[in-house]
Amino acid sequence: MKKPFLIFCSALLLTLQSCGIYSFTGADTGEAETFQVNFFQNNADLVEPGIDRAFTNSLQDLIQNQTSLSLVNNNGDLVFEGEITEYYIAPMSATAQNTAAQNRLTISVNVRYYNTLEPEKDFDRRFSFFYDYPAATQLVGANLETALDEIYTRLTQDIFNAALTDW
């Protein structure tokens, strides 16, 4: 009874050891143990109050939820910083009466990523995403929150993938 159990445990140990550490998110943090996300200043021409803080918090939350890294205020192994460079609304399609049928909110951020343990993975890149909505809808209150949540979700996931996955 003990011999099959020992063989099974040995096989399991070898299998797990040869595969390395697997992350369900695909994140590869290497030897990093900490990360920091510096405040993303809103430098867009059109300023929507609070989006800088909300975006910074969204990026922190995503990294905390999808990795085992600890958030620190300084001297992080992985550092994310940058600024919001664009926040604008543009008409996307017109009606027969020459009015907008649909509008698009676009937010762009410039991200500088530093991996202090593996500097070859550093990057400085622009990320952008949008949210389309009917032109008759005012982008305020719950509608604005929905738009911002969707944009933040996509932007932060794109940044996460660029920094911590090989996908």
Side-chain angles (χ1 to χ4, degrees):
M1 180 74 173
K2 287 187 179 187
K3 189 171 183 177
F5 179 74
L6 288 174
I7 293 172
F8 172 76
C9 288
S10 298
L12 182 64
L13 180 63
L14 288 174
T15 302
L16 292 175
Q17 188 176 19
S18 65
C19 293
I21 297 173
Y22 178 76
S23 166
F24 289 108
T25 63
D28 178 14
T29 58
E31 299 295 318
E33 295 178 3
T34 61
F35 78 99
Q36 76 184 61
V37 177
N38 295 335
F39 184 72
F40 276 73
Q41 184 72 37
N42 186 355
N43 293 337
D45 291 336
L46 179 61
V47 175
E48 176 66 34
I51 66 169
D52 41 11
R53 180 181 30 74
F55 176 77
T56 302
N57 290 340
S58 293
L59 184 56
Q60 288 175 345
D61 291 345
L62 177 78
I63 297 168
Q64 279 186 308
N65 291 335
Q66 295 193 12
T67 69
S68 60
L69 298 172
S70 298
L71 177 63
V72 295
N73 291 328
N74 52 30
N75 299 323
D77 295 329
L78 309 178
V79 179
F80 296 83
E81 66 180 26
E83 53 278 336
I84 298 170
T85 56
E86 291 181 325
Y87 177 97
Y88 66 90
I89 298 170
M92 292 310 300
S93 60
T95 65
Q97 293 78 28
N98 288 330
T99 60
Q102 190 174 37
N103 288 332
R104 174 174 285 180
L105 170 63
T106 303
I107 298 178
S108 299
V109 294
N110 189 50
V111 177
R112 289 175 298 282
Y113 168 71
Y114 304 103
N115 184 327
T116 61
L117 304 175
E118 300 178 69
E120 65 276 3
K121 293 186 177 183
D122 294 358
F123 65 77
D124 184 342
R125 192 181 308 172
R126 180 179 174 271
F127 295 87
S128 183
F129 198 71
F130 60 88
Y131 177 81
D132 291 336
Y133 63 97
T137 302
Q138 291 292 319
L139 201 55
V140 295
N143 292 332
L144 178 59
E145 287 301 314
T146 299
L148 293 175
D149 287 346
E150 185 171 322
I151 291 172
Y152 295 161
T153 298
R154 282 297 298 267
L155 285 174
T156 57
Q157 191 64 55
D158 288 348
I159 294 165
F160 179 87
N161 289 343
L164 300 174
T165 68
D166 291 328
W167 295 359

